[in-house]
C-alpha cells in the first residue's frame, strides 16, 4: 500500500523560504513534487530517484529549490528558497516508476501520468 503524506506548507513573503516534507511508503523508484495553481495545469517541480540520489528540476525550480532524501526517515524534502508569488500553488508529493525515467517524469510527462500515486497536497502561498 502506497502512502504519501506531505507537510510544511504555509504562507511567506516573497524572498522567504519553506521546506516541504513528504513521508513515503512506496516501492516506486521516483518521488517528485508537483504543483497546481488555480486555473493552471499541474506541473512538475522536482524529483529524486530513491536510493541513488539523482535529482531533477523544472526550469522554474533550478537554483532556488533543492530536493533531498532521508532514507532513514523515509522522507523526501523540498527546500524552497527565494520564493516568488508565482510559486503560490498546492504542492503534491507523487510516486511512480515511470518507464520513461524520472527526469522526463518531472520535467514533461509526469503531471498527467495516470499511474502516479499522489499525496493529499500542502498549500504554499507567497505574498509580494
Amino acid at each position: 500500500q502506497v502512502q504519501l503524506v506531505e507537510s510544511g506548507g504555509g504562507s511567506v513573503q516573497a524572498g522567504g523560504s519553506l521546506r516541504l516534507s513528504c513521508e513515503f511508503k512506496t516501492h516506486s523508484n521516483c518521488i517528485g513534487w508537483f504543483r497546481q495553481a488555480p486555473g493552471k495545469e499541474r506541473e512538475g517541480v522536482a524529483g529524486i530517484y530513491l536510493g541513488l540520489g539523482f535529482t531533477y528540476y523544472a526550469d522554474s525550480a533550478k537554483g532556488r529549490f533543492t530536493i533531498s532524501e532521508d532514507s532513514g526517515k523515509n522522507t523526501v524534502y523540498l527546500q524552497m528558497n527565494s520564493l516568488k508569488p508565482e510559486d503560490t500553488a498546492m504542492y503534491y508529493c507523487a510516486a511512480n516508476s515511470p518507464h520513461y525515467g524520472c527526469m522526463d517524469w518531472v520535467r514533461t510527462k509526469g503531471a498527467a501520468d495516470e499511474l502516479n500515486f499522489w499525496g493529499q497536497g500542502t498549500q504554499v502561498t507567497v505574498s509580494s
Side-chain angles (χ1 to χ4, degrees), residues 20-22 24 31 33 48 50 67-69 75-78:
L20 306 182
S21 299
C22 173
F24 63 85
I31 293 279
W33 287 96
I48 189 165
L50 293 178
I67 191 169
S68 61
E69 175 193 4
T75 301
V76 167
Y77 301 100
L78 183 68

Side-chain angles (χ1 to χ4, degrees), residues 57-108:
Y57 297 93
D59 289 342
S60 60
K62 287 180 180 177
R64 299 188 300 127
F65 295 0
T66 302
I67 191 169
S68 61
E69 175 193 4
D70 185 333
S71 58
K73 295 182 178 180
N74 280 358
T75 301
V76 167
Y77 301 100
L78 183 68
Q79 178 67 43
M80 304 187 295
N81 298 329
S82 302
L83 283 162
K84 305 174 182 179
E86 50 264 44
D87 295 318
T88 295
M90 184 70 79
Y91 283 70
Y92 297 91
C93 180
N96 201 340
S97 297
H99 62 88
Y100 47 84
C102 292
M103 183 170 68
D104 283 343
W105 181 62
V106 170
R107 292 174 61 84
T108 59

